[in-house]
Amino acid sequence: YKVFGLAPTGRASQNLEQSGISSQTLHKFLKSFNEGRCQYSLKTVLVLDEAGMVDTQRFEAFLRAVDQLGVKAVVVGDGSQLQPVKAGPAFRLVTEKVGYSRLEHVIRQKESWQQE
């Protein structure tokens, strides 16, 4: 599988890039999809980071694109963090309906004060 990152902001997209994941903003992805320019295959995984910041309309458009492209999606976020500016906490609604997996141990930071 090839993994590509999506994020609601340019800064979050840059953070994914620094982690080694080729990334773009969710807005750019949706524009490319709507114009028929997406070149993803069935062996593609799209990681939507900072999903808690995505409003319901854009989240629905993302899910529709994933379905039509036939790719796999991994949605990452924190429903308690900064909420979307536009309508609805889509990420929180989806996690309540579908469920989620939770990461409990942070391995990126080595010092205890960093992990806090």
Side-chain angles (χ1 to χ4, degrees):
Y1 287 88
K2 291 191 176 189
V3 178
F4 297 95
L6 303 173
T9 66
R11 182 68 185 134
S13 177
Q14 289 173 349
N15 288 342
L16 282 172
E17 287 278 346
Q18 290 174 352
S19 298
I21 299 173
S22 178
S23 303
Q24 62 182 318
T25 65
L26 178 59
H27 291 44
K28 184 175 180 180
F29 164 76
L30 291 173
K31 184 176 188 310
S32 295
F33 173 75
N34 290 331
E35 294 173 352
R37 295 185 293 118
C38 283
Q39 299 294 317
Y40 301 112
S41 72
L42 297 176
K43 293 283 189 177
T44 298
V45 176
L46 295 177
V47 177
L48 175 58
D49 195 18
E50 299 292 345
M53 295 175 57
V54 179
D55 63 89
T56 52
Q57 184 178 12
R58 230 170 296 294
F59 202 91
E60 190 274 332
F62 166 72
L63 293 176
R64 187 175 57 247
V66 164
D67 185 50
Q68 288 182 18
L69 292 168
V71 300
K72 297 191 183 308
V74 175
V75 180
V76 181
D78 182 347
S80 300
Q81 278 187 327
L82 184 62
Q83 296 300 301
V85 175
K86 293 192 177 184
F91 179 71
R92 192 171 342 141
L93 295 172
V94 169
T95 58
E96 288 172 2
K97 186 86 167 166
V98 177
Y100 58 89
S101 294
R102 182 182 195 118
L103 298 177
E104 297 289 338
H105 182 69
V106 178
I107 59 172
R108 181 173 44 189
Q109 291 88 9
K110 302 295 182 206
E111 305 296 326
S112 61
W113 66 268
Q114 292 174 326
Q115 292 177 356
E116 289 176 24

